[in-house]
Amino acid sequence: MDIGKAALVVVDMQNGFINHHSHHAVPAVADLVATWTAVGRPVVFTRYFNYPDSPYERFFHWRRLQEPPETEIVPELADAASRARVVIDKTGYTFLTTQANALAREAGWTDLVFCGVATESCVLKSAADAFEQGFAPWIVTDACASDAGPDVHDAGLVVARRLIGEGQLVTMGHVIQELSARDGMTVLE
């Protein structure tokens, strides 16, 4: 992981995706964002918006996340999102919209470190797209969750290992060690 050329991408930490299966990711992501920003590294948030007659509505009959409060970033991360480099609004799974891809290239980021929800969909698709577009994708496994439950989270990680490589799945501890090695910060155990 090249921390000096990395951005932390916080995927869809929105009220509509947080439930009894995924709420444990909120403090983990908040801790990761706080540690990442403490050493001056860039953070990007994504925010998903469903819309009438979207593929999600047409094929899944899923009409959620079309308006607040479901579309809002969870309160525990709202302040961090307001201070982020940018919040990328999207209507599909991937972080790598035209805007995000241009930002990453202009900023010179080579590594994209993903956390958030949902592991098996938006996090996975973002990481796979990053891989295919030449970025080094990293998934922070203990700062991700699925609103569909732990089995679906685990399934997403199985597929991620196949799509982007086993070594690209890391823990918060690993990321914090990388930050410490790069910036000389004290790692609290």
Side-chain angles (χ1 to χ4, degrees):
M1 183 180 297
D2 187 347
I3 289 291
K5 294 183 178 180
L8 179 65
V9 180
V10 180
V11 178
D12 300 351
M13 292 298 291
Q14 297 165 259
N15 292 323
F17 290 123
I18 303 302
N19 62 22
H20 66 284
H21 292 302
S22 57
H23 67 87
H24 68 278
V26 174
V29 171
D31 288 348
L32 183 57
V33 169
T35 302
W36 192 272
T37 57
V39 296
R41 302 303 314 137
V43 176
V44 174
F45 277 73
T46 70
R47 188 171 46 198
Y48 169 77
F49 289 92
N50 198 3
Y51 57 91
D53 202 35
S54 72
Y56 306 97
E57 190 172 291
R58 287 191 328 245
F59 301 125
F60 300 142
H61 306 287
W62 190 73
R63 292 172 178 84
R64 295 187 47 234
L65 279 106
Q66 291 190 3
E67 57 189 54
E70 286 188 326
T71 56
E72 294 171 349
I73 302 291
V74 295
E76 298 88 339
L77 289 163
D79 188 51
S82 72
R83 292 189 321 270
R85 176 82 174 259
V86 69
V87 177
I88 300 289
D89 290 334
K90 61 192 185 73
T91 58
Y93 294 116
T94 191
F95 154 72
L96 280 169
T97 64
T98 302
Q99 176 192 9
N101 202 327
L103 170 67
R105 302 234 183 255
E106 288 168 15
W109 300 332
T110 59
D111 293 49
L112 299 172
V113 181
F114 296 99
C115 63
V117 294
T119 311
E120 79 289 354
S121 55
C122 294
V123 172
L124 174 63
K125 178 76 162 87
S126 295
D129 286 353
F131 175 89
E132 287 185 344
Q133 294 184 34
F135 296 100
W138 304 90
I139 296 176
V140 186
T141 60
D142 51 353
C144 289
S146 172
D147 57 328
D151 291 343
V152 178
H153 165 79
D154 291 342
L157 295 179
V158 168
V159 175
R161 285 181 186 93
R162 298 277 300 161
L163 293 180
I164 65 171
E166 173 123 12
Q168 301 310 113
L169 278 63
V170 296
T171 64
M172 285 179 47
H174 176 83
V175 174
I176 291 168
Q177 285 179 343
E178 291 289 325
L179 288 167
S180 176
R182 165 82 164 71
D183 293 304
M185 67 180 247
T186 303
V187 177
L188 302 175
E189 306 258 354

